Every structure is written in structure tokens, then in C-alpha cells.
Amino acid sequence: MTMIELRNVHKRFDELEVLKGINLTVEKGEVVIIIGASGSGKSTMLRVINNLEPIQAGEVWVAGIPVHDPKQAGEVHRIAGMVFQQFNLFPHLTALQNVTLALRKVKKLDQKEADRLGGKALEHVGLADKASAYPAEMSGGQQQRVAIARALAMEPEIMLFDEATSALDPELVGEVTGVMRQLAAEGMTMLVVTHEMGFARDVGDRVVFVDEGVIAEEGPPEVLFTAPSNPRTQQFLHRVLDR
Amino acid sequence: MGWQGIFESSGILFTGLVNTLLLSVASIATGTTLGLIVALLRTARIRGLGLPLRLYLEIFRGSPLLVQMLFIYFGAAYLGIRGVDTFMAALTALTLYEGALISEIFRAGIEAVPRGQREAARSLGLSRYQIERYVILPQTVPIVLAPLVGQYIGLVKDTALATAIGYFELVREGQAIIDRIGMPIETFIVIAGIYFMICYPMSLAARRLETRALHA
């Protein structure tokens, strides 16, 4: 079953064309990794899927919802959960309140039921003991795990990760990718923009290399990482793996 | 003795103080409400509303409050609109004028909240109203509290302009005392003192709120 489909998607910021005809299909349960240089358009791709950026041409379908149609685009938020590079936790709310806000206001659950589900979501990411902590009192890794719990609590069918570990100190990356690995193992459909090539290789069912607004190459990680056919992919991998 | 005379007029001064406080509190409430609504509408970038709101802002920020008060009071009389007494005219002018200034304070506060907050809230499926109500405004309030109180201090003193249309606030009542017993210097010192006693605590509060916002 197809969960995400992009058809010839074009996205322009004023004069700058960021996506120049993207075609991509993601099946249910698939983990697709998106790699590429900064400015290549990979984050924009996720943001387009999640209705955070309007597109100029093409079609974006998420679980049957036409996200390119502004009238129905908002529906995508019931289907997709998103995790951001900068966590974007609500600083005035505790970890549990962060997780339960949408449960109460969007799903209209009462406080008790929301707290129960919120607690479960925090447990899922190993932070049940931080329920009453504010974001400022947590490490970056903990904050990002709360952000994942916040998205998971809404029971999304798809999780979008936009460089979820890029803002973390290196020693904190593992706890977040750990949760992401667990999610993948549980069968979650995931679209992951990342620079963590080890994670990409281990967890990805498919790797997509985005270059200057187009998908330059895609394939299973064992092929794309070891024998890329496009010279641009070779260059990029050479640069990032050499570090 | 002059001071004695002023002391004996304390009843008149008290009436003036009550009227000044009444006008101040009322226009703080209406001006803040208007300012918040204008700021929310402007930051929402609703098509077709941008220009009218901008016009409102620039006109009322860019002309003297005294002129606005006179315009509303005598304009209402000229047009035969009933029920616009001195209080209503002063309140309307103060609301529009302070509302314009306060909307800019709120707008700055709203725009100081990082864009990612709105995006995260939207991703969770919160409605536009819910995003403002539960995510943006709770973060805006600590930012705007100190400048808001600063604005209110100015507002309290601005109510003195209502004397020009005949509203019996502190300055006007002071004038009445002077008309009766003379002693303008002493009277105005007392009136200035009363304003100071209202404004200085507000000033202290603004300073405390500022340090609290810095540490938040």
C-alpha cells in the first residue's frame, strides 16, 4: 500500500527553485532515508509532504490525501508526525504537557485519558521519569525524544524526521537514533532526512540521494553506499564518509 | 494658607482621582483587547486585512491623541451621534490610540516566538486558533509584560488630555480648585504627586517583570 507519493513536484522560493520535479513513492512500513548536501532540497521535500510549504506544480499524496490541494492539505496532520532538527518543544509546557496538548485539543480526550496515553508515549522513548520536567531542564537528546513521543502519541501512520540528530552533541545522537531504530523495527513508515550514514545503512530499506532539487539516485543502502552509479552520488558519499 | 485650602478641597481631588482611574482602567482593558486583536490579525497575514490594519495603525499612531479626542467628541456632536459624553469620547480616543501602540508591542512579542513553534503545533494538527491560544500567546505574554506596563504608565498620564474636552479628571478638578482659591503652583504640585503615586509602583512592577523575563 502506497503511503506517500510525490508526482513531479516543483517548489520555488521566489526566484530560487528548490525542488525541480521530484517523483517519489513510499510504501507502508518502508523506511526511506534521504541524503544530500545542505541546500539540495531534502528538508523542503519533507516540509512539502507535511503541508508546511506550498508547492507550485505537481501532486503530493499522503495516505490518499491530496496535500497539494490547500482545502484538504490540513488532513495530512492526522496521518503524519514530524520531528524537527531544533526539537521545537513548547518551552512553557512540561514534557507530559507537550505530549498531551494535541491529545486534549485535537483528539478531544479528557485530561485523565490524555495523561495515560502521554505517559505511555514517554515510556516508549524511555523518559517516563521526565514527565514533569520542562524542556530547559532536559538535555538535547532527551528533548528530542520527548518531541518523538509528542508525535507518536497522536498515533501517526507516518513519521517524518528532519535532521533529527543534527543539533545534538555527538554523544547524544545514539539515544535518539536508538528510538528511531526501535520505531523502524516496530514497522513504522518513516521518511528520514539525515547525515548519519551508519543509521542510514542499518535501518534504511531504501536510500534516496537528492542533488540540486532532483532525485539523482535511489536504491537499497547496500547498493547505493557501496556501488553508487551516479558520479554526483559518488562525490557526495566520498565527502561525507571521508570525514 | 494655600496648602490648607488644597487640603480642604480634597473631596474634589478625590473625585478627579476616581475619574482618572476609571478612564485609565477602562482604556487599559479596551486598548489591550484591541491591540491584541490587531496584532493577531496582522501576524496571521489574512489577505485583504493587511492594508486596512496598517492604515489604522499609522493614522492613530501618527496623529496627536489630543486631536483624536477633540475630533471624536466634537465630531460626534456635529454628526448628531447621541450618547458620546466626555467619558465615551475620551475612552474611544484612548482605545484607538493606545490600541495602535499596544498592537505593535504584541506583534513584536508574537514574532519573537520562533517559527518552529508554530510548525510543530501545526504538525500536531492544532487549529490556527489553538496554536495562538495554547502555543504562541503563553510564550508572548512574558515577553510583552514589561513593555505593556510601560505603555500603561504613559496611558495613565495621557488621560490628562481628556481635560480638553471637559472630562472631570484630576487636572480638570485641579483647575476647578485653582479657579476657586488660586494657588496654582501648590495645586499642580499635589496633582503631579498623585500621578506619581499611581505611576511609580507601575514603573517598579515593569522593572521587576523585565528582570523576570530575562531569567525566564
Side-chain angles (χ1 to χ4, degrees), chain B residues 20-171:
Chain B
T20 289
L21 289 177
L22 213 63
L23 183 58
S24 298
V25 171
S27 43
I28 282 174
T30 53
T32 305
T33 308
L34 178 65
L36 177 60
I37 292 170
V38 170
L40 285 172
L41 290 176
R42 286 195 74 205
T43 49
R45 300 188 199 291
I46 298 167
R47 197 175 305 199
L49 269 183
L51 187 65
L53 289 173
R54 183 81 198 279
L55 275 175
Y56 155 69
L57 174 69
E58 297 299 348
I59 287 172
F60 283 91
R61 188 170 58 174
S63 61
L65 174 59
L66 178 60
V67 174
Q68 294 169 23
M69 242 178 231
L70 293 168
F71 189 85
I72 289 170
Y73 185 61
F74 293 110
Y78 179 78
L79 293 173
I81 302 171
R82 271 193 254 185
V84 183
D85 57 7
T86 54
F87 177 79
M88 276 306 294
L91 176 62
T92 308
L94 277 163
T95 302
L96 292 168
Y97 176 78
E98 303 290 341
L101 300 178
I102 289 172
S103 81
E104 282 296 89
I105 294 176
F106 273 117
R107 190 178 61 86
I110 289 169
E111 285 174 356
V113 178
R115 204 174 60 147
Q117 292 288 308
R118 215 174 231 112
E119 294 182 345
R122 227 173 115 189
S123 296
L124 291 166
L126 293 167
S127 69
R128 281 174 91 156
Y129 166 78
Q130 290 172 328
I131 294 173
E132 302 302 329
R133 168 77 177 76
Y134 300 110
V135 177
I136 306 301
L137 287 182
Q139 298 184 59
T140 303
V141 169
I143 303 172
V144 299
L145 227 38
L148 261 188
V149 175
Q151 187 65 40
Y152 296 159
I153 294 172
L155 182 151
V156 169
K157 292 180 293 177
D158 285 345
T159 59
L161 290 172
T163 203
I165 56 172
Y167 179 64
F168 279 91
E169 43 66 68
L170 265 174
V171 176

Side-chain angles (χ1 to χ4, degrees), chain A:
Chain A
M1 188 184 151
T2 302
M3 290 302 280
I4 302 173
E5 189 173 5
L6 306 188
R7 289 186 205 147
N8 196 25
V9 169
H10 288 259
K11 165 74 196 171
R12 194 179 303 109
F13 292 104
D14 295 323
E15 293 301 291
L16 183 71
E17 193 170 29
V18 188
L19 302 180
K20 305 171 185 169
I22 296 276
N23 291 288
L24 179 75
T25 306
V26 178
E27 298 297 324
K28 190 171 172 61
E30 217 182 354
V31 177
V32 175
I33 311 284
I34 303 170
I35 59 172
S38 62
S40 59
K42 54 194 193 311
S43 283
T44 307
M45 238 169 92
L46 280 199
R47 297 171 55 81
V48 157
I49 292 167
N50 200 29
N51 185 35
L52 294 177
E53 303 281 357
I55 60 173
Q56 277 72 45
E59 293 180 8
V60 178
W61 294 87
V62 177
I65 296 160
V67 182
H68 50 273
D69 174 4
K71 284 202 184 68
Q72 297 180 60
E75 294 289 302
V76 74
H77 302 305
R78 286 188 299 109
I79 306 293
M82 187 158 181
V83 177
F84 300 85
Q85 183 175 357
Q86 298 300 336
F87 324 141
N88 297 346
L89 286 185
F90 307 133
H92 59 296
L93 301 179
T94 64
L96 184 63
Q97 288 167 340
N98 262 278
V99 177
T100 54
L101 179 65
L103 289 174
R104 285 169 48 221
K105 302 303 172 190
V106 180
K107 293 207 166 176
K108 311 280 181 201
L109 301 181
D110 62 38
Q111 181 92 49
K112 209 175 133 205
E113 182 64 2
D115 283 352
R116 192 182 66 82
L117 291 176
K120 252 176 67 181
L122 285 176
E123 216 169 282
H124 201 153
V125 299
L127 287 174
D129 56 324
K130 290 286 177 187
S132 54
Y134 283 90
E137 300 163 350
M138 290 184 276
S139 73
Q142 290 170 334
Q143 288 186 56
Q144 192 61 298
R145 281 149 68 199
V146 172
I148 294 173
R150 180 173 68 176
L152 284 180
M154 297 300 284
E155 299 182 315
E157 294 179 44
I158 300 165
M159 284 288 284
L160 307 169
F161 292 87
D162 187 8
E163 302 204 27
T165 58
S166 297
L168 296 175
D169 291 337
E171 75 269 23
L172 300 178
V173 168
E175 61 183 89
V176 172
T177 51
V179 171
M180 291 165 68
R181 281 169 199 268
Q182 184 191 335
L183 265 183
E186 290 163 9
M188 177 65 79
T189 309
M190 290 163 60
L191 203 48
V192 184
V193 171
T194 187
H195 294 289
E196 296 297 321
M197 295 303 154
F199 175 84
R201 204 181 312 221
D202 293 354
V203 184
D205 296 313
R206 188 151 45 105
V207 178
V208 172
F209 173 62
V210 179
D211 185 47
E212 294 184 348
V214 296
I215 292 179
E217 185 168 1
E218 63 180 302
E222 56 275 17
V223 176
L224 198 119
F225 282 119
T226 49
S229 54
N230 188 317
R232 298 281 298 184
T233 321
Q234 290 166 10
Q235 275 174 23
F236 173 76
L237 287 175
H238 189 73
R239 275 205 311 274
V240 294
L241 295 176
D242 235 24
R243 277 185 313 192

